[in-house]
Amino acid sequence: MRVLQASNIYGVGFGIPSISTRPNSSYQRHATIATGEALAKSAPIGRKFSEQHSLKKGDMEKDGNSVVLEKKDFAVPRRKAMALIFSSFVLSNYELPKAAYAQSVEFREYIDTFDGYSFMYPRNWIQVRGAGADIFFRDPLVLDENLSVEISSPSSSKYKSVKDLGPPEEAGKGVLKQYLTEFMSTRLGVRRESSVLSTSLRVADDGKLYYDVEVNIKSYANNNELAVMPQDRVARLEWDRRYLSVLGVENNCLYELRIQTPEKVFVQEESDIRAIMNSFRANKIAA
């Protein structure tokens, strides 16, 4: 592949907030416990309390989302110190799920100057060679999630506009038919359910017209396809996926960006997937 891959990286979303430390004053020392702090941060605090220091009424004050503990010269029972450590651990576990999903998503721009297209993709996705498409990337963690680009042959097609495919609804039917043809199976007891979820057209910032198509395909298979009695052949769901396509025309060719993702994953990553779709461009090849 003769490709120029840009190194532009774009950040989206919010990161996990860091733990702040309150400055020490001249007459007292403070230890800050952030509301999302892990148990590992509580162990040093417990050791400090074992150094003959205690908490009394008025020794605790709130500082935003943190609790500031003032150090006093009184003995503290071991049981109270352990109870404080345990309460900090419970508070940390309560807040952890909120921070765990607040991870940022970085995109990298892929530019093919030879074939004339570009798009954004998640930085952690890996390229797979020999997949049959012009370019193919997949998620290293969710193996059913991937994207690819297909280009029609310029010698066998002379597209002038994406409208040559007909209205978006007609193009959606053609996309679904192509997917079903590719996923045709000769296994016994395999059944597919499919539907066109949505079709739309839009004009991108490059002034070109693009079609967006979304389809859903479910695959069912019998758990015992060789059974004689029908009641022994129970169909079970193999996979439930959403397929999203962006269609555009340039250089007398039809360009198609394809994204495959499980329906459960799509619900969680819809905004990122749509960002990839909106970034796809069919570019004029320089003479």
Side-chain angles (χ1 to χ4, degrees):
M1 172 66 63
R2 294 172 287 271
V3 174
L4 171 63
Q5 182 168 305
S7 60
N8 299 333
I9 299 174
Y10 302 82
V12 178
F14 300 93
I16 300 176
S18 59
I19 300 173
S20 61
T21 304
R22 181 174 175 177
N24 297 333
S25 64
S26 59
Y27 60 91
Q28 63 183 6
R29 297 169 62 189
H30 297 79
T32 303
I33 304 177
T35 55
E37 195 168 2
L39 178 60
K41 296 292 183 180
S42 301
I45 297 175
R47 287 194 293 270
K48 289 183 180 180
F49 286 125
S50 65
E51 298 172 358
Q52 303 300 320
H53 299 291
S54 67
L55 293 175
K56 289 197 173 187
K57 184 176 181 180
D59 293 345
M60 298 181 64
E61 61 181 68
K62 292 185 177 179
D63 183 16
N65 292 330
S66 302
V67 177
V68 179
L69 306 178
E70 296 188 0
K71 193 173 181 182
K72 299 293 184 178
D73 292 330
F74 295 97
V76 72
R78 183 187 298 261
R79 187 171 298 176
K80 289 185 179 180
M82 294 303 297
L84 180 63
I85 295 174
F86 178 76
S87 62
S88 176
F89 173 71
V90 173
L91 180 61
S92 175
N93 282 348
Y94 179 76
E95 295 291 340
L96 182 60
K98 296 180 181 179
Y101 294 102
Q103 299 178 359
S104 62
V105 176
E106 291 185 348
F107 290 93
R108 177 172 290 170
E109 187 175 16
Y110 182 91
I111 303 175
D112 188 331
T113 57
F114 181 79
D115 291 314
Y117 63 87
S118 62
F119 59 88
M120 310 292 291
Y121 69 95
R123 186 182 183 186
N124 67 317
W125 284 26
I126 59 176
Q127 182 177 351
V128 179
R129 302 184 185 276
D134 195 75
I135 191 67
F136 189 98
F137 287 93
R138 70 171 178 84
D139 189 324
L141 301 178
V142 184
L143 301 184
D144 275 354
E145 190 172 33
N146 56 65
L147 68 82
S148 60
V149 174
E150 301 280 353
I151 309 174
S152 66
S153 173
S155 60
S156 60
S157 61
K158 297 294 181 182
Y159 289 96
K160 299 300 181 183
S161 169
V162 72
K163 290 185 177 180
D164 293 344
L165 300 174
E169 297 78 11
E170 196 67 26
K173 295 178 182 178
V175 169
L176 178 58
K177 182 179 179 181
Q178 181 64 31
Y179 277 124
L180 292 177
T181 300
E182 295 175 2
F183 296 141
M184 188 176 297
S185 176
T186 58
R187 289 185 299 152
L188 296 176
V190 173
R191 176 173 55 90
R192 301 280 162 75
E193 291 183 0
S194 62
S195 62
V196 178
L197 300 178
S198 67
T199 58
S200 61
L201 60 86
R202 58 182 171 86
V203 178
D205 55 8
D206 60 356
K208 297 186 180 70
L209 186 66
Y210 294 88
Y211 283 176
D212 294 336
V213 178
E214 298 183 31
V215 303
N216 172 266
I217 302 178
K218 298 180 178 66
S219 179
Y220 296 87
N222 293 337
N223 61 345
N224 189 5
E225 63 274 11
L226 299 180
V228 177
M229 303 302 294
Q231 60 270 23
D232 295 330
R233 299 191 299 269
V234 180
R236 59 179 178 82
L237 180 65
E238 285 188 308
W239 45 263
D240 181 8
R241 299 171 184 161
R242 181 168 300 207
Y243 295 90
L244 307 97
S245 293
V246 180
L247 305 169
V249 169
E250 186 58 271
N251 308 307
N252 296 325
C253 297
L254 175 65
Y255 293 79
E256 181 181 5
L257 171 72
R258 292 179 160 197
I259 302 176
Q260 170 187 298
T261 181
E263 280 289 349
K264 291 182 179 180
V265 176
F266 176 79
V267 174
Q268 301 173 0
E269 302 180 356
E270 180 176 359
S271 61
D272 297 332
I273 292 174
R274 297 202 183 282
I276 298 173
M277 296 177 65
N278 293 332
S279 70
F280 182 68
R281 297 290 182 271
N283 306 318
K284 188 71 175 178
I285 299 176

